[in-house]
Amino acid sequence: MNYRHIYHAGNFADVLKHAVLTRLIRYMQKKDGGFRVLDTHAGIGLYDLSSEEAQKTGEWVDGIGKLMEADLGPQVSELLEPYLSAIRELNPEGGIRFYPGSPKLARMLFRPQDRLSAMELHPEDYVRLHRLFEGDHHARITELDGWLALGAHLPPKEKRGIVLVDPPFEEEDEYQRLAEGLEKAYRRFPGGTYCLWYPLKKGAPIKEFHETLQALDIPKMLCAELAVRSDRGITGLTGSGLVIVNPPFTLKDELHQLLPALKDHLAQDRFASHRAFWLRGENKAVKDD
């Protein structure tokens, strides 16, 4: 309840999460039928990077700020085009003042048949999120603990969906809670595509987290990680990871294009790295760099 994403909006972790979310949405849209995005920890939806809070940390400068100015090459540019176009649409006068959170980004990419369910527990953030989508019949905004949504709001009536779980990691047991939440949700909606975000930092139980996920009875789980700096002498966030359950068959190859480019442009020291690999399912991993 103390976490406020405005201090971190548009940082390198957001870039990875939103780049992958965009690819998941575009893959879903290859079929005519509608689908639902369920965002369990939605935040306020739209962030003003000129605000006092965002300016205090300036994290976006080393995230989306670098990416928008980067020479990405044709293949990566094509993969990131929907994501970066949404940001340009929010900033018609140029520059980057406004940055979309996950619910806003998803909504901007929707077709008429696609829908959003966004959960936010923080009372002030819920009010702002609800106001942002007021009158939008494609969006359902609920003041609710996002962990509860993994049971109460699945499966969606569309029977197709992306479930984004991006908790604040304020508690020490969040990695375990993330695994338990996935197990519960998957039992209710085994055909869904799940995108689970987690932080990389010194001492984080990443190996144990991965082993817990591997022990679940879930056939396909793809993992993508991006670290922008060494964790030596640093107590804060050094990178982030995503676990994608039931990933599109195209995603592994797309990560092979995206991750090296994101590492090259967002690196904060020479120890920046990336990796993509199967936790469950396919055996062939994307080469680390």
Side-chain angles (χ1 to χ4, degrees), residues 100-143:
S102 302
K104 178 65 174 177
L105 176 62
R107 180 66 185 91
M108 293 178 74
L109 298 175
F110 278 177
R111 307 164 299 176
Q113 62 267 45
D114 303 328
R115 296 292 185 269
L116 169 71
S117 290
M119 315 297 157
E120 178 53 50
L121 182 60
H122 193 289
E124 294 178 16
D125 288 358
Y126 164 73
V127 169
R128 295 182 66 176
L129 183 68
H130 188 271
R131 187 181 302 128
L132 179 66
F133 289 101
E134 191 168 8
D136 186 345
H137 299 296
H138 291 77
R140 179 183 178 186
I141 312 302
T142 307
E143 187 175 6

Side-chain angles (χ1 to χ4, degrees), residues 11-14 16 175 197-202 204 206 224-231 234-242 266 268 271-274:
N11 69 359
F12 60 83
D14 263 2
L16 174 63
Y175 292 94
W197 182 90
Y198 60 94
L200 300 178
K201 53 186 178 181
K202 189 172 185 177
I206 304 302
E225 291 183 347
L226 173 68
V228 298
R229 57 188 177 185
S230 167
D231 63 6
I234 295 175
T235 57
L237 193 70
T238 59
S240 67
L242 297 170
L266 303 183
Q268 296 181 16
F271 297 102
S273 63
H274 67 84

Side-chain angles (χ1 to χ4, degrees), residues 202-226:
K202 189 172 185 177
I206 304 302
K207 183 174 182 292
E208 294 80 1
F209 174 56
H210 288 168
E211 289 174 348
T212 300
L213 292 175
Q214 287 171 328
L216 300 179
D217 188 21
I218 298 176
K220 285 195 173 183
M221 289 187 280
L222 181 64
C223 185
E225 291 183 347
L226 173 68

